[in-house]
Amino acid sequence: MRVLIFDPFAGISGDMFLGAVLALGYPVERLREVAARLGAPPGSVSTDTVQRRSIACRSARFELPREHHHRHLPDILEILEGGLDGEALALARRIFERLAAAEASVHGIDPDHVHFHEVGALDSILDIGCAADAVRFLNIEECFTRAVSIGRGWIDIDHGRFPLPAPATAKLLEGMDIGETQWDGECTTPTGAAILAELTDGRPPPTRWRVLASGYGAGSRDPADRPNCLRLLLAELSSEQDTTMVIVQSDLDDMAPEYVPPALEALRAAGAVDVTTSAVGMKKGRPGLRIEALAPYQTLDSVLDALFESTTTIGARYWTVGRRALPRTASTRLWHGTRIRSKQVHLPDGQVRRKPEFDDVASAARDAGVPPLGVRQALDSTEPTDEDGTAVGGSTPVEMV
């Protein structure tokens, strides 16, 4: 799997992202072609290789006349639809919709009524539209991010003077790891934050991955205290890769036991891939129950919400863990006229371990008038077939989380 790992140690902006993807192999001519379709005048795309504290970086700039009108979300989506299609269009739409949602939340209005100022200008539209096309061109399947730097100080925007990060930027970065620095000035712009948030949703990188290439995109400034650039790492994850998960854990001693099973189902429905319970000793000798859920990092908020809504707990612990899972496939076969689903786990040495679904085994056992264990033993000793000796149902991959 080809993935993109953001390393925004000096922040991120739209032009920094474009410079970095150029360094990773996104063609300059394609950048110019997409920009032209989105409304960039001839000769307005400028690219170069520049130095940022002795690091060679690619730069991408749109030299455009100053605009004096603002756009609403429907206006911007119309421009995107005129220059993009397919996955690139869908991604660009989602980025701007995320921007609109952030601005709407800050100002307390409907997203369609957001009056875009800086991010509604043509250069921001070009940044996001070309960024979406670059992700499609580079065949990126998933994105992750390290902590993002935001800078310190104040910034002047159309609504006045505000502390950094700008209000929309702060909203877009909710849920992400932030790297506090002593660097003055805006490190992360709303456009950069929107691209980062939509592509990564704040997911940290897996614990193991193989670097295919690295690219540096230059910021417009060249301060003396840092290399003002964005680093992107193009990486590959194997099918037996370590993924970043989160464990959510809570102890409670004031909930009736019959309410525990529905709570566990609620956690699974919220995204947990495994939920367990265990007995624990609580304060003053009271017996208690520990609920522990293993979930993909991106489902943390929904799992926590389900825990608080479905149990009497008033707090929860959570931390990230690495998880390695073997590739799996699923198949369905006939056994004496009953369909039995089975999961195959593919081991590193090429062997396959099979496990039939118990509900199907129990159903087949009832139909045949034998114990479920007898059905399982028969399945383990022979390849399941129908009465004619024909195996039915092919193997299909099982989605890994």
Side-chain angles (χ1 to χ4, degrees):
M1 177 190 294
R2 283 167 62 91
V3 303
L4 196 62
I5 297 175
F6 287 72
D7 190 9
F9 59 82
I12 179 174
S13 63
D15 56 353
M16 291 165 78
F17 180 81
L18 288 183
V21 292
L22 287 176
L24 288 178
Y26 184 56
V28 172
E29 287 308 314
R30 187 178 178 97
L31 172 66
R32 292 195 173 110
E33 175 191 337
V34 174
R37 294 204 307 263
L38 291 169
S44 60
V45 181
S46 174
T47 64
D48 202 355
T49 299
V50 298
Q51 294 284 322
R52 292 292 181 264
R53 301 296 97 194
S54 299
I55 295 178
C57 307
R58 294 299 301 273
S59 70
R61 302 282 184 274
F62 300 110
E63 299 169 1
L64 306 168
R66 177 87 176 162
E67 293 186 302
H68 299 287
H69 65 280
H70 304 304
R71 296 180 174 92
H72 293 85
L73 181 60
D75 305 321
I76 294 172
L77 297 182
E78 184 177 352
I79 293 173
L80 295 174
E81 289 167 0
L84 300 172
D85 57 20
E87 296 176 7
L89 173 59
L91 174 57
R93 286 179 61 97
R94 291 197 303 271
I95 294 172
F96 262 109
E97 286 166 354
R98 186 178 285 253
L99 261 171
E103 291 280 5
S105 176
V106 167
H107 300 298
I109 60 175
D110 186 90
D112 281 344
H113 297 155
V114 169
H115 208 114
F116 284 105
H117 300 284
E118 292 87 353
V119 294
L122 182 58
D123 57 347
S124 292
I125 296 173
L126 295 174
D127 282 342
I128 291 174
C130 294
D133 184 73
V135 171
R136 182 184 69 172
F137 179 86
L138 294 173
N139 295 318
I140 304 301
E141 298 176 67
E142 195 167 2
C143 299
F144 306 91
T145 185
R146 291 176 166 177
V148 56
S149 296
I150 54 176
R152 67 177 186 177
W154 295 75
I155 186 171
D156 293 311
I157 59 178
D158 273 18
H159 296 290
R161 189 169 175 80
F162 284 86
L164 291 170
T169 302
K171 192 69 181 177
L172 289 161
L173 294 179
E174 287 183 358
M176 294 194 187
D177 291 335
I178 301 300
E180 284 287 354
T181 68
Q182 301 303 309
W183 296 333
D184 292 324
E186 185 179 40
C187 291
T188 296
T189 68
T191 299
I195 293 171
L196 182 68
E198 181 57 40
L199 287 175
T200 72
D201 207 26
R203 291 184 297 274
T207 54
R208 293 177 60 203
W209 33 278
R210 184 163 65 90
V211 177
L212 301 178
S214 60
Y216 294 82
S220 57
R221 294 173 291 139
D222 188 15
D225 59 352
R226 65 187 182 276
N228 188 32
C229 56
L230 168 70
R231 177 165 61 180
L232 294 180
L233 301 169
L234 185 63
E236 183 178 64
L237 305 183
S238 71
S239 58
E240 298 173 18
Q241 45 102 7
D242 292 352
T243 55
T244 300
M245 307 287 282
V246 62
I247 287 180
V248 177
Q249 186 186 88
S250 184
D251 299 335
L252 51 151
D253 60 7
D254 58 350
M255 191 169 86
E258 57 264 32
Y259 294 100
V260 173
L264 304 186
E265 286 304 314
L267 291 170
R268 293 187 185 95
V273 299
D274 193 16
V275 185
T276 61
T277 60
S278 58
V280 294
M282 304 287 283
K283 289 185 296 185
K284 301 180 180 179
R286 292 192 298 265
L289 178 73
R290 172 167 293 173
I291 296 178
E292 189 169 283
L294 176 68
Y297 185 88
Q298 61 267 30
T299 67
L300 173 61
D301 288 340
S302 61
V303 169
L304 285 171
D305 288 346
L307 180 68
F308 290 130
E309 292 169 0
S310 304
T311 73
T312 57
T313 189
I314 59 173
R317 300 171 290 275
Y318 64 86
W319 62 93
T320 56
V321 295
R323 179 191 188 227
R324 182 174 299 182
L326 296 172
R328 308 171 196 176
T329 57
S331 64
T332 302
R333 297 181 182 274
L334 288 178
W335 186 84
H336 294 286
T338 300
R339 289 186 175 273
I340 298 180
R341 293 165 296 169
S342 181
K343 184 180 295 180
Q344 289 79 238
V345 177
H346 300 264
L347 302 175
D349 62 2
Q351 296 187 59
V352 177
R353 189 164 56 221
R354 295 178 174 84
K355 180 183 178 182
E357 294 290 341
F358 176 76
D359 288 346
D360 294 351
V361 169
S363 177
R366 285 193 299 269
D367 293 342
V370 298
L373 182 59
V375 177
R376 173 61 192 266
Q377 291 172 336
L379 294 175
D380 288 343
S381 61
T382 61
E383 196 69 22
T385 62
D386 63 12
E387 286 82 352
D388 296 328
T390 304
V392 300
S395 295
T396 57
V398 174
E399 182 178 359
M400 304 298 295
V401 294

